[in-house]
Amino acid sequence: MDPNDIKDWLIPIASFVGIISTSVGVWLALKEYRLKLKAEQRLAESTRAETDIRLFTHFTDILEVATGRRRDPVYSKEVAEKLLEKLNFEPANANFDYRTLRENIATAALLHSWVGNSSSDAAFASITTLALRHKALIPSAIQALESFNDWKPELAKKYLTLLKNARPAADNLETD
């Protein structure tokens, strides 16, 4: 073989090797990029789930204000002692049901702290605003407002109308 023939072959071979190594590098970079995109997507979904949980928690808190009551009932010490005595409070028992105890105590509350009318009215508006902004809340808001018909019928009907009119439009929206 002539050295000129070898020289003529070295340029295409070197170019081919360069193209192959560049292609492999690009392929590996794209593979890494896809993995990072998937990780970011999982993180975004997780963050959205956490945000939704917080939103629903605050939404439920607003529902309590809309009913005009707050969570913490007020107990008389004597009534609480009699109630626990009557319920045979024995937490050492393995089958003791704390949920039932809590429900029984809540129903025996002497007083509930009440919110003012303005807070309650604002809660109705907040429920509707949140539902209009986050379509996932629309069914919950409609259900809540329907149950508030006996509490404040004029406000419930007003905001129910807004939500029911917005519902078809919300169904066409993309997820928030």
Side-chain angles (χ1 to χ4, degrees), residues 73-92:
V74 179
Y75 303 97
S76 161
K77 180 181 176 186
E78 292 79 20
V79 170
E81 287 174 354
K82 287 286 185 185
L83 180 65
L84 292 175
E85 199 175 289
K86 185 177 179 182
L87 293 173
N88 295 324
F89 181 68
E90 296 178 29

Side-chain angles (χ1 to χ4, degrees), residues 151-167:
W151 166 245
K152 290 195 173 189
E154 66 286 344
L155 278 178
K157 287 176 186 170
K158 173 184 172 183
Y159 291 118
L160 271 170
T161 303
L162 284 171
L163 285 175
K164 288 182 177 179
N165 289 339
R167 192 176 203 174

